Amino acid sequence: MELRQLRYFVRVVEAGSIGRAAMSLGMVTSALSQQISRLEGELATRLLQRSASGVVPTDAGLAFFRQAQLALRHADDAIQAAQQARLAGHVSVGLPSTTAAILGAPFVQAMNQRYPDIRLHLVEALSGHLADMLNGRQLDVAIVFHAEAARRWHVTPLLDEPLYLCARRDLPGLPAGPTTRLEEIAGLPLVLPGGRHGLRASVNQAFQQAGHVPRVVAEVDGLALLMDVVQLGYAATIQPGSATARLAPGQLFMARIDEADLFRPNLLASLSEEELSPAALAARLVLADVARTLARDGKWAVTTLHTG
């Protein structure tokens, strides 16, 4: 099997047609079709389902396609690194919105300073979506809040964040002090992320353990919009301190929720060691280093900082 065969196959799947792929590659359609047939013969399995309208990958073809993409990216990174005689390549990193608000820009700055030839692709999305992207090999590294969906991930606990009640200061029923308990805020109207979000699961579980049900009046799966709704003044939210990183200091009332079991873990997850390129390994190391530095410098409120 040769790298060019992998490139041919990936192009065919992306184009959805051997003819269109051949045109983009500057090849004769019959020659490209022969290459794909030869590849299927070497693997002793059918990779493409052919029809009059084009081709689609079989289950085996889809699995092969994902690994072929990864292999080609590693090969391209190796070529680039050899040509530039220093660490180079491409790495995709996923960050949840709240984490991105505090970690994203410092991480980009640190990568630019340490590895200027590594090209970053940053994705900001819900933790659950990032987990799906890791499982689909669309990301190399990500910060996630739960690892139940892991498929051969490398997972390292990074830090645990306290959670806060956040609201406009004129919302009726707010606690008086800088800390509060769930039983004190059980009657407050809340806007929270939907059920797929890891934070929502933690909040629901904590309320259940405390013998209360949260009064959720709206669900918003997007940090910026969620905080906009909070600033309308008819509902509060429960979020880590990083959720307010893009707001002016003191813009919202904040009370730390004093419950031992209510915190948000930040887990540094990546593809398995053998699947990560040198560029991705470097990015994972820098991401952990920047996160821990922010916590030690008091720029990221944490309950526990994991140093392992």
Side-chain angles (χ1 to χ4, degrees), residues 33-276:
S33 181
Q34 282 184 343
Q35 289 288 343
I36 298 300
S37 295
R38 185 177 302 168
L39 181 61
E40 290 178 320
E42 291 178 7
L43 297 174
T45 188
R46 181 69 66 186
L47 298 176
L48 296 175
Q49 185 70 41
R50 296 160 174 82
S51 69
S53 59
V55 296
V56 293
T58 62
D59 290 344
L62 184 59
F64 185 74
F65 172 70
R66 290 169 176 165
Q67 293 300 322
Q69 285 182 309
L70 192 64
L72 289 172
R73 194 167 73 191
H74 287 181
D76 290 341
D77 289 350
I79 293 169
Q80 187 177 357
Q83 290 173 340
Q84 297 184 357
R86 57 183 177 181
L87 189 58
H90 173 273
V91 58
S92 295
V93 178
L95 297 175
S97 295
T98 47
T99 305
I102 197 166
L103 179 59
F107 169 62
V108 171
Q109 184 178 34
M111 284 294 295
N112 184 60
Q113 291 172 347
R114 301 184 202 182
Y115 302 105
D117 297 311
I118 293 179
R119 182 162 55 91
L120 280 176
H121 174 215
L122 292 182
V123 176
E124 181 179 327
L126 294 178
S127 174
H129 294 163
L130 297 177
D132 290 342
M133 294 181 73
L134 265 179
N135 283 331
R137 303 300 192 271
Q138 296 171 281
L139 293 175
D140 299 299
V141 182
I143 300 291
V144 297
F145 306 139
H146 295 279
E148 288 85 352
R151 300 178 189 170
R152 296 181 61 202
W153 290 0
H154 179 280
V155 179
T156 302
L158 199 57
L159 54 86
D160 299 333
E161 295 179 270
L163 296 183
Y164 295 82
L165 177 74
C166 306
R168 211 168 77 174
R169 296 182 180 277
D170 58 355
L171 181 70
L174 293 179
T179 63
T180 188
R181 304 275 298 179
L182 290 179
E183 60 188 25
E184 298 175 23
I185 61 174
L188 284 177
L190 295 175
V191 53
L192 294 172
R196 180 167 171 73
H197 200 288
L199 177 65
R200 177 64 178 276
S202 297
V203 170
N204 285 350
Q205 183 178 8
F207 268 101
Q208 184 178 17
Q209 291 175 344
H212 297 281
V213 177
R215 183 186 162 199
V216 180
V217 298
E219 295 180 333
V220 179
D221 285 338
L223 178 62
L225 179 57
L226 187 149
M227 299 309 288
D228 285 346
V229 172
V230 170
Q231 291 182 80
L232 291 176
Y234 75 89
T237 190
I238 296 175
Q239 292 286 333
S242 53
T244 64
R246 291 176 175 144
L247 301 179
Q251 186 170 341
L252 291 177
F253 168 85
M254 295 180 64
R256 179 167 169 165
I257 300 176
D258 187 16
E259 302 281 350
D261 295 329
L262 185 57
F263 58 87
R264 189 177 71 174
N266 282 251
L267 307 175
L268 179 57
S270 70
L271 301 180
S272 60
E273 296 283 322
E274 62 268 21
E275 293 181 277
L276 285 182

